[in-house]
Amino acid sequence: MFMLTHTYFLQKLLAAQNDFAPDIYVYNVAPDLLAIHPRISSAQTHTIKRSLPIHLKYPQSAYVIFHLWVDDLSHYGYICQTEHDEFSVDARGYSYLKGSHLIPSILDLYKINGVDISYRDAVYQSHLIIEMIYDLVILSKINTFKTIDVLVEAIKYTVNNKIEEFIETIHWLYDLDRNEIREVMDNALLFVTKDGMREIMNIKGRINLYKDKFGLHNDEQIFNDCLTAIFQKAIDLIDDDETFFLETSQIVKNNHQFSFIR
């Protein structure tokens, strides 16, 4: 799931509490935020043992692990027992089950574009489209919880008040270069803004993100109509937006791993 969905989920789980600092939201999106750096890959940030004992010196690292749990449930439908399970075309997580309905249309899109795509890659892209669209479907809830404001302000707070603690925690967790972690946060302060995030909170913004990610540039009307139809279908598929949150929160609460969830 994308950063706003992760932030909203954590907000909702902590809605009755007010005894935490804003930096928890930055830790919670760290696996995605860190991967923006050109020398840090998503594979690095998402490959950590889910049952990793939390060091007493670095308690905020629990929010990073929580992010990975949510991703596991979105991808596989269960929490990985080790660092990370291999990608499977038969994945049964929420985003893959929903995305399976998009696969034929994605294959057609690539035919129109005159580019080959494997079934495996089409499956991967189908789940990603669901995740790209999910926070648009819950936009009214995101607005109610002021999730964009919360995340942007959390980044500012962390950079201005907790940056050394954040760097040391992330270094311990991932063994990443401290300067690279600092670069990520300096760039986040500049580029993760309220206006910038609001600009992509629409279907056109998400379509452009998808096109840029996979190099799909085609001005033909038939191509753009097909692509728009795929994203509109993804919106229609998420007709149960509370289901994934409720299932996730129940699994997390039942496991008792996260002390911040009561």
Side-chain angles (χ1 to χ4, degrees), residues 163-199:
I163 190 60
E164 298 304 329
E165 179 183 330
F166 180 82
I167 290 171
E168 289 306 313
T169 299
I170 296 300
H171 174 72
W172 169 77
L173 192 60
Y174 288 115
D175 196 29
L176 294 173
D177 182 87
R178 291 179 175 84
N179 288 329
E180 291 181 355
I181 300 169
R182 192 183 300 276
E183 286 173 16
V184 167
M185 294 306 296
D186 287 343
N187 287 329
L189 194 62
L190 294 174
F191 297 113
V192 182
T193 65
K194 295 174 186 179
D195 288 343
M197 296 194 79
R198 290 188 181 113
E199 282 179 7

Side-chain angles (χ1 to χ4, degrees), residues 17-79:
Q17 303 177 49
N18 57 12
D19 55 346
F20 49 81
D23 60 327
I24 63 170
Y25 294 110
V26 182
Y27 285 101
N28 185 47
V29 299
D32 295 338
L33 195 62
L34 291 164
I36 295 173
H37 195 287
R39 292 189 295 276
I40 302 174
S41 70
S42 178
Q44 285 176 279
T45 61
H46 287 77
T47 306
I48 298 176
K49 191 173 183 179
R50 282 25 176 178
S51 58
L52 178 75
I54 302 302
H55 196 296
L56 289 176
K57 190 176 178 180
Y58 308 110
Q60 304 295 59
S61 59
Y63 294 96
V64 181
I65 304 298
F66 175 67
H67 174 114
L68 302 179
W69 278 42
V70 173
D71 276 356
D72 282 353
L73 293 171
S74 174
H75 297 166
Y76 310 112
Y78 59 85
I79 308 301

Side-chain angles (χ1 to χ4, degrees), residues 65-241:
I65 304 298
F66 175 67
H67 174 114
L68 302 179
W69 278 42
V70 173
D71 276 356
D72 282 353
L73 293 171
S74 174
H75 297 166
Y76 310 112
Y78 59 85
I79 308 301
C80 297
Q81 295 301 309
T82 55
E83 287 81 4
H84 191 271
D85 280 6
E86 293 296 322
F87 167 77
S88 169
V89 295
D90 299 315
R92 305 296 292 172
Y94 179 91
S95 61
Y96 278 93
L97 290 175
K98 292 291 186 182
S100 64
H101 301 282
L102 304 176
I103 295 170
S105 298
I106 293 172
L107 295 171
D108 289 342
L109 180 74
Y110 273 78
K111 285 180 184 177
I112 293 170
N113 205 37
V115 178
D116 290 331
I117 183 175
S118 67
Y119 181 79
R120 179 185 177 88
D121 286 344
V123 171
Y124 173 79
Q125 290 190 23
S126 73
H127 107 276
L128 186 62
I129 290 172
I130 294 296
E131 294 193 339
M132 293 175 81
I133 285 296
Y134 190 89
D135 59 9
L136 295 188
V137 175
I138 63 169
L139 182 57
S140 64
K141 298 180 176 68
I142 283 174
N143 288 338
T144 297
F145 276 73
K146 298 183 178 179
T147 303
I148 292 175
D149 293 18
V150 165
L151 181 56
V152 170
E153 293 303 319
I155 290 171
K156 291 179 182 177
Y157 173 85
T158 304
V159 171
N160 293 328
N161 300 281
K162 295 287 190 77
I163 190 60
E164 298 304 329
E165 179 183 330
F166 180 82
I167 290 171
E168 289 306 313
T169 299
I170 296 300
H171 174 72
W172 169 77
L173 192 60
Y174 288 115
D175 196 29
L176 294 173
D177 182 87
R178 291 179 175 84
N179 288 329
E180 291 181 355
I181 300 169
R182 192 183 300 276
E183 286 173 16
V184 167
M185 294 306 296
D186 287 343
N187 287 329
L189 194 62
L190 294 174
F191 297 113
V192 182
T193 65
K194 295 174 186 179
D195 288 343
M197 296 194 79
R198 290 188 181 113
E199 282 179 7
I200 61 170
M201 292 305 290
N202 54 67
I203 191 169
K204 182 180 179 182
R206 298 312 165 95
I207 287 174
N208 288 335
L209 286 175
Y210 175 76
K211 289 166 70 174
D212 289 344
K213 182 174 179 61
F214 296 105
L216 291 170
H217 300 293
N218 188 323
D219 294 328
E220 292 185 23
Q221 191 63 44
I222 187 173
F223 173 85
N224 288 308
D225 288 347
C226 182
L227 183 54
T228 300
I230 290 172
F231 273 74
Q232 185 58 57
K233 185 174 183 179
I235 290 175
D236 296 338
L237 286 167
I238 305 173
D239 57 355
D240 54 352
D241 57 88

